[in-house]
Amino acid sequence: MSPILASALTEKPVCSADGRQLGTVRNLTMNTQTGRLESVLVDTDRSAGELRHIPRTPDGELRIAAGAIVGVDDQLVVSLSDAD
């Protein structure tokens, strides 16, 4: 995947590779030593039970690992099997 500015990801819609809408990017976590993206924090209104295998922050946001990102265009596309 080509480099993308972090500011371009904020507020971007997030969907799964199978087309389910998950929410909106609210924040990112980065490795401060390497500058690499570690995870994307997604504000969602989906039930915890439906997405229970994906870690959540104390605020209820989904924490999706950077390795789960399969595409970025008008929305961020993630593989739910690689999200944790």
Side-chain angles (χ1 to χ4, degrees):
M1 188 180 314
S2 61
I4 299 169
L5 293 174
S7 61
L9 294 176
T10 305
E11 300 297 322
K12 191 170 280 290
V14 179
C15 73
S16 65
D18 64 4
R20 289 185 287 166
Q21 294 299 317
L22 301 178
T24 305
V25 175
R26 288 292 175 220
N27 214 338
L28 311 168
T29 59
M30 310 285 288
N31 181 309
T32 57
Q33 294 190 348
T34 66
R36 295 186 70 87
L37 177 66
E38 290 187 344
S39 62
V40 177
L41 305 180
V42 178
D43 186 23
T44 185
D45 59 358
R46 312 255 302 153
S47 71
E50 183 179 347
L51 301 170
R52 100 180 49 156
H53 68 286
I54 300 175
R56 289 184 180 256
T57 67
D59 293 331
E61 296 169 321
L62 299 174
R63 182 181 301 273
I64 299 177
I69 299 171
V70 295
V72 179
D73 196 10
D74 291 341
Q75 55 190 356
L76 191 70
V77 180
V78 298
S79 169
L80 293 181
S81 61
D82 298 325
D84 50 358

